[in-house]
Amino acid sequence: MFETLNRLSEDAILGVMAKYRADPSPLKIDLGVGVYRDAEGHTPVLECVRTAERRIVAAQVTKAYVAPAGREEFNTAVVELVLGREHPAVRGRRVIAVQTPGGCGALRVGAELLRAAAPDTSIHVSDPTWANHLPLLGGAGLRLHRYPYYDAATHRLGFDAMIERLERAPAGDVVLLHGCCHNPTGADLDAAQWRVIAELLSRRGLVPYLDLAYQGFGVDLDGDAEGVRLIADRVPECLIATSFSKNLGLYRERVGALLAVGTSEARVATIRSHVLQIARSIYSMPPDHGAAIAVEIFTDPALRQTWIAELAAMRERVQAMRRLLAGSLRRHSGGGDYDHFERQRGMFSLLGASPAVVERLRDEFHVYMTADGRMNLAGLTPASIEPLAQAILRATR
Ligand code: LMR
C-alpha cells in the first residue's frame, strides 16, 4: 500500500533544526526554530516552572485521564490572561476555552471547527505567514488565500495593500491575524491599525481567527493582547489560538488553548460540544503536565510575579540582541539602514535575502535560518552578534 507514497521534503523549520544539530562546527549560529535562548545559548527551564513542577510532582496522586477539555482551572485562567477579567465577552459569558496540545493543536482544532460549521470555508492568511499555518489550516480542508502583509522594500507592514485585499473578501470568510510578534516578519499592527481592522471585519462580516503564540514577547502580557481584546469586543464571533510554548518555555510539554467567542452563552456551549468532539477524534485528550504547571503559575500570586519578571527578562534580552545586531550591521556596512531589526517585535525578522544567500550563510558561515531568510533573533548571544553581522555583510555583497 505505501508504495504509492513519495518521499516528502523536510519541514521548512524543523529541517533547519536537524541541519543545525548535524553541523559539528563550534562556530555555528542557530537562528532557525523559534525557541528562546539565554546569553549562553541555552533554552532554560524557567524558575517559576521548576518550582511549580516540584510542587506538582510532590502532590500528584494519579495519572488517570483528565478530559478532552483538559483542566478547567487552566481554561478559566487562560481566558483571563488572553481577554482580561473585565472583557465584555467574559462578563457576558460568551467565551469558552479548551486546553489543547500546544498552539498547533489549537489551530488545527479551530480549523476543524470552522470546517464543521461551514464546509466551504475560505481562510485568508498573511503573506508571509508562519510556515506551519498552511498545513494546519489547509490540512483541515479550509481553502487558503493570501493577503499582502509585509513590504520587503521598506521592512514595514504593507497596511494599505492588506486593507485593500480584505475589503474584497466575501462575508463569512475567515481572516487569520497574528495577535503580536508576527511570525516571520516581526512587523505588528499598531493600535490605530487594529481599530481599522476591527471595523473592517465587523462591517464586512468576516470572522477573525487570532493566533496569539508570543503573548509577553512584544510589549508585555496585557499590551500584546490589546489587538485580540479589541477584535473580540467588536465582532460577534471569533476564534483565538494561544500557546504557552514561548512565554512559559513549555515547548515540549505542548500547552495551548483554543478560545471561541460567540453571540450567546448557549451558542458557545454548542461550539464547545463540537470542539470536544473534534479533540476526542484527533488526540482524545491533551497532555496534562504542562497545563498543571501553567495553572500553578497563573494562580499563585508569588509564582506569577516570578513568571512576569522572567518573561520580561527574556523579552528584554531579545530586544537587546536586536539593538546590538542593528548597531553592528550599521557600523560594519558604513551606515546601512537596519532600523527595522530594532523596531520589529518578538523573536523574528526577515533578513531580506534570497534562498541562495541563506544557503551560503549556512554552508560558508555556519549560520542557520529558514529558506525565506527568517532569523530567530532570540537565538543570538552577545558573542555571536559580530560574527553574524560580518557573515551577513559578506554573504549579501
Ligand atoms: C517556529 O516558528 O519556529 C516555532 O513556532 C516552532 C515551530 O513549530 O515551527
Side-chain angles (χ1 to χ4, degrees):
M1 158 180 255
F2 300 121
E3 66 277 8
T4 57
L5 298 177
N6 293 321
R7 192 170 178 150
L8 299 175
S9 49
E10 282 177 314
D11 180 271
I13 296 172
L14 304 186
V16 178
M17 188 164 96
K19 284 204 175 70
Y20 173 81
R21 282 183 179 160
D23 182 347
S25 169
L27 304 174
K28 63 185 179 177
I29 300 175
D30 183 11
L31 308 179
V33 68
V35 295
Y36 173 80
R37 291 184 206 283
D38 62 19
E40 280 73 50
H42 301 127
T43 301
V45 179
L46 299 185
E47 263 323 298
C48 59
V49 168
R50 278 197 193 287
T51 307
E53 200 159 35
R54 273 195 295 269
R55 288 185 197 166
I56 288 158
V57 170
Q60 200 165 56
V61 289
T62 183
K63 293 281 188 191
Y65 292 125
V66 182
R71 289 179 172 251
E72 278 315 327
E73 64 276 36
F74 171 84
N75 294 331
T76 305
V78 169
V79 168
E80 278 185 29
L81 193 69
V82 171
L83 291 181
R85 210 172 278 182
E86 299 305 321
H87 193 278
V90 178
R91 285 211 311 267
R93 304 170 74 86
R94 292 186 295 104
V95 55
I96 55 109
V98 167
Q99 182 191 321
T100 55
C104 287
L107 283 162
R108 183 53 176 255
V109 170
E112 299 283 349
L113 175 72
L114 291 167
R115 185 147 156 83
D120 291 334
T121 299
S122 281
I123 186 161
H124 302 256
V125 301
S126 63
D127 183 14
T129 195
W130 177 44
N132 210 29
H133 275 149
L134 308 180
L136 280 170
L137 304 169
L142 303 182
R143 295 183 187 162
L144 288 166
H145 304 272
R146 301 275 196 161
Y147 59 84
Y149 185 81
Y150 188 67
D151 181 351
T154 60
H155 308 288
R156 287 179 188 274
L157 200 78
F159 190 63
D160 292 345
M162 172 184 182
I163 292 293
E164 194 271 329
R165 181 69 55 84
L166 293 180
E167 283 285 3
R168 289 191 276 120
D173 278 10
V174 180
V175 179
L176 187 94
L177 296 160
H178 298 226
C180 67
C181 306
H182 185 271
N183 180 0
T185 69
D188 282 348
L189 295 155
D190 65 26
Q193 290 167 334
W194 276 113
R195 284 196 291 275
V196 172
I197 292 281
E199 188 278 326
L200 186 160
L201 295 170
S202 135
R203 174 170 46 77
R204 303 269 316 126
L206 298 166
V207 181
Y209 194 167
L210 298 140
D211 185 359
L212 187 61
Y214 294 86
Q215 190 178 1
F217 265 90
V219 181
D220 59 25
L221 285 171
D222 285 324
D224 289 344
E226 265 175 21
V228 170
R229 291 175 186 180
L230 177 79
I231 299 277
D233 184 32
R234 298 290 162 84
V235 297
E237 300 178 313
C238 70
L239 295 180
I240 306 164
T242 188
S243 163
F244 298 99
S245 295
K246 327 283 168 166
N247 57 15
L248 279 172
L250 285 172
Y251 308 90
R252 62 176 64 175
E253 302 294 355
R254 312 309 297 136
V255 197
L258 176 70
L259 286 71
V261 174
T263 48
S264 68
E265 191 174 353
R267 180 62 56 81
V268 291
T270 302
I271 294 172
R272 185 174 186 275
S273 71
H274 283 264
V275 169
L276 297 187
Q277 195 193 63
I278 291 164
R280 179 76 170 138
S281 71
I282 307 178
Y283 52 81
S284 186
M285 296 173 213
D288 179 59
H289 187 65
I293 293 169
V295 169
E296 194 71 23
I297 295 168
F298 297 158
T299 57
D300 178 304
L303 267 192
R304 193 179 171 106
Q305 276 318 309
T306 306
W307 174 43
I308 287 170
E310 292 189 281
L311 181 55
M314 290 196 283
R315 177 175 65 240
E316 283 158 18
R317 201 194 82 76
V318 182
Q319 286 164 352
M321 292 303 101
R322 286 179 168 283
R323 283 193 297 276
L324 285 177
L325 179 64
S328 177
L329 283 165
R330 259 182 230 122
R331 231 177 12 261
H332 293 298
S333 67
D337 177 12
Y338 297 99
D339 293 359
H340 54 287
F341 290 131
E342 291 184 74
R343 190 172 61 235
Q344 291 165 350
R345 285 186 179 157
M347 292 189 179
F348 307 112
S349 281
L350 289 174
L351 177 58
S354 66
V357 168
V358 171
E359 252 176 59
R360 193 167 164 217
L361 279 164
R362 185 189 65 211
D363 297 342
E364 275 181 47
F365 301 97
H366 307 277
V367 173
Y368 289 77
M369 63 186 73
T370 53
D372 57 357
R374 186 193 79 166
M375 300 191 293
N376 171 25
L377 300 169
L380 280 175
T381 65
S384 59
I385 296 280
E386 287 294 304
L388 174 66
Q390 308 260 10
I392 288 175
L393 292 172
R394 284 174 61 193
T396 51
R397 260 181 199 145

